[in-house]
Amino acid sequence: MSGDGRDGTAGWGWFLAWLLVGACAGIGLAAILTVGVAFVVLAAVAAVPLLRRGPRRAVVGALSGLALPLLYLAHLNREGPGEVCHAVTGGQTCTEEYAPVPFLVAGALLLAAGIVIHVLTGRRGRT
């Protein structure tokens, strides 16, 4: 069962479903010491029906999904690296931020890799 329509667009739906599973797993791994276990379990439970019904090539969407937590970390640290202070009522609050570039580069590479692999395997499957 391929799950693809004639033009291959249905394959992108499966890819996006796997992207969400990958994002959930990535959040779970990043927060493993707090609520992460719940996210990892949720990702595993969501993966079961996708493995049973969807095309196998769409699993690379999970690779792209791992990019979402990294891109979010890049966004959160966008004013870093170093100590960043903001004015609040009654004074200021300061936080230590990391350099956002490593998170951004890793996230962009994972996102692009998953999309490229999905496109290439889709072309190979239609020829």
Side-chain angles (χ1 to χ4, degrees):
M1 172 187 262
S2 71
D4 287 335
R6 284 189 178 168
D7 59 355
T9 55
W12 286 103
W14 292 106
F15 179 86
L16 291 175
W18 276 107
L19 185 133
L20 293 174
V21 169
C24 191
I27 291 168
L29 293 174
I32 198 72
L33 296 177
T34 56
V35 298
V37 174
F39 279 97
V40 171
V41 169
L42 180 63
V45 168
V48 171
L50 293 176
L51 284 170
R52 289 186 179 167
R53 293 184 166 248
R56 296 278 188 242
R57 72 182 185 90
V59 172
V60 297
L63 179 67
S64 289
L66 292 174
L68 297 182
L70 292 172
L71 294 173
Y72 182 62
L73 283 172
H75 173 72
L76 290 178
N77 290 288
R78 65 190 175 275
E79 295 177 7
E83 187 174 44
V84 177
C85 298
H86 295 283
V88 295
T89 305
Q92 68 178 2
T93 181
C94 298
T95 58
E96 189 72 27
E97 292 188 3
Y98 297 107
V101 175
F103 297 114
L104 181 63
V105 169
L109 286 174
L110 285 172
L111 184 65
I115 291 171
V116 167
I117 292 169
H118 183 69
V119 167
L120 291 177
T121 57
R123 285 184 184 165
R124 185 178 60 190
R126 285 193 294 268
T127 59

